[in-house]
Amino acid sequence: MSWQDDYIRWNEFEDLEPHLRKQLDEIAENENALEEAFHKPLSFGTGGMRGELGPGTNRMNLYTVRKAAEGLAKYIENQGEEAKQNGLVVAHDSRHMSPEFSLETAKVMGAHGIKTYLFTSLRPTPELSFAVRHLGTAAGVVVTASHNPPEYNGFKVYNEDGGQVPPAQAEEIVELVNAVENELAIDVLEKEELEKQELLKWIDEEVDQAYLEKLQTISLNPEVIEQQANKLKIVFTPLHGTALNPVVNGLEKLGFKQVTVVDEQAKPDPEFSTVASPNPEEHQAFTMAIEYGKKVDADILIGTDPDADRLGVAVKGDDGEYTVLTGNQLGGLMLDYILSNTPYLPENGIMIKTIVTSELGRAVADHYGVETLDTLTGFKFIGEKIREFEQSGKHQFLFGYEESYGYLIRDFARDKDAVQSALMASEMAAYWKSKGKTLFDALEMIYERQGYYLEDLKSLTLKGISGTEQIEGIMNDFRERPLEKVGDISVVAVEDYASSERTHLADGSTDEIDLPKSNVVKFLLEDDCWCCLRPSGTEPKIKFYFGVRGDNRRSAEDRLDMVKNAVMSRVDKLIK
């Protein structure tokens, strides 16, 4: 069926939701807009789906959400009657249509006789992960587009363990979603009927309180918090998202007394009107928090993305100015703090990071005699390993993180948790303040001990059909003509995760990469340097990761610039 056929099918559907009807009529004479909206079904991948809001098969809307929910409902049915009774728990963020899409999910589930637990208002993604485990449901869903622009929304699926669905489960769900032939003809039960049949249960305080109690268990030095409670000054921004109550309540329960919230960014706002992007990875998101920090002379600024699975931290330097730590730096600091303050580290303890996360983490873990495990990018792989170790008893999870500001301290949640991380970062700042040091001082001590590990990330957004083709062309070019030297640093090995093969350039020998296949190419360079290319699975962009190590800061900075310039100059030629 062509995209024109799908458009006709939608256009002739008499019961099309009125707002979508209006939007569809507005683009009726714009063939490019119609093709973008209908040229393919919105991709349902390993973690769910994410896309721009609007009419069409390639957009997030009432009907594509129903299609995703229909596939998930059939997956739950296939697990048996017990899974249907255990049901589904659904949470949502502050975006346009998030509450409506949450209810639509419950309406589809109800038509299959599957019970849904639904939060009455917005909640953080990690609390949803916790809720799956706490309530014992068969699956979970968060309606969120994380830190994407306001025109986006998404549908993220969690398994019975509270983790994002790993590849094996995802493949089955994707197949069932794709098998839904007509998203306009999916059966639903209306809200009143769901409540009458007890197929919809509204939840709030019980889960909130249970999650808050678990948050208190992550503290390693409560006596330090008590000592610094009135001294450490914290500024917090939830960036118009879901983290306000859990972070503020969590900090209060731990004993912190000097917490200032950025008022202008405290209320949920689907337009994220005070920031160019609601992403703590981007330093502009801290502009208001920095203003607040200067007013109250804050020691640490913390910011969470809209669904509260990512945390950014800014720290005041000796010059009185605030600098946002990178995800790699904050992860290294947290890991060092946790390992150095955990009494009796288990012999089978393990730290998990992704293949594009700094090697600083491995160096820190080695220093404390803790093993490091690499996974593919995506916290679902970290969650999957936690479950595997829990079942086998082979390893004890100590910490997991990725460079994109995602961290997990305790495994009562199975996804990255910015609420846990906000509390841990604050305690860590209190600990170092008690020793007369800032987090910058602590980071410098780690660098002096382990070497100067520096990283950077470049993202290239290429929208539409032509953009997809360009991204594919870049990946093909680097595979067909692999780098042999980057600047004046030689390439030692090439890792192609699509073929699960590592090629050693010295002798041409190969060995297998024991990870699921993924469209990623990584170049391992001399002296612990590396670079990596990875198309995003949820956004129209390709990401370029760079990591270097130097004996001092200057040498590391020079190396990082050289590696970035060499790779990106080649990319620029390809897209021109």
Side-chain angles (χ1 to χ4, degrees), residues 71-96:
L72 180 58
K74 290 180 177 177
Y75 171 80
I76 294 172
E77 282 183 322
N78 290 346
Q79 308 310 304
E81 191 60 34
E82 184 179 353
K84 288 180 64 175
Q85 293 302 314
N86 290 340
L88 179 79
V89 56
V90 182
H92 69 265
D93 68 7
S94 56
R95 290 178 176 273
H96 292 295

Side-chain angles (χ1 to χ4, degrees), residues 64-123:
T64 54
V65 167
R66 284 180 178 177
K67 178 179 177 178
E70 178 74 4
L72 180 58
K74 290 180 177 177
Y75 171 80
I76 294 172
E77 282 183 322
N78 290 346
Q79 308 310 304
E81 191 60 34
E82 184 179 353
K84 288 180 64 175
Q85 293 302 314
N86 290 340
L88 179 79
V89 56
V90 182
H92 69 265
D93 68 7
S94 56
R95 290 178 176 273
H96 292 295
M97 299 300 296
S98 285
E100 291 85 350
F101 290 163
S102 297
L103 183 57
E104 288 301 325
T105 302
K107 288 161 68 173
V108 172
M109 293 293 154
H112 289 264
I114 299 170
K115 183 178 183 178
T116 299
Y117 296 88
L118 194 60
F119 285 100
T120 61
S121 59
L122 76 178
R123 289 298 188 283

Side-chain angles (χ1 to χ4, degrees), residues 110-184:
H112 289 264
I114 299 170
K115 183 178 183 178
T116 299
Y117 296 88
L118 194 60
F119 285 100
T120 61
S121 59
L122 76 178
R123 289 298 188 283
T125 288
E127 185 171 346
L128 180 282
S129 173
F130 168 78
V132 170
R133 299 173 59 76
H134 178 71
L135 297 170
T137 61
V141 166
V142 183
V143 178
T144 178
S146 189
H147 55 279
N148 279 53
E151 63 269 22
Y152 281 78
N153 212 327
F155 184 97
K156 189 185 292 187
V157 180
Y158 288 76
N159 65 11
E160 72 280 7
D161 192 53
Q164 295 182 48
V165 286
Q169 284 180 306
E171 286 176 13
E172 186 176 346
I173 297 171
V174 169
E175 188 175 329
L176 291 167
V177 172
N178 292 339
V180 178
E181 294 183 357
N182 186 0
E183 68 281 348
L184 302 175

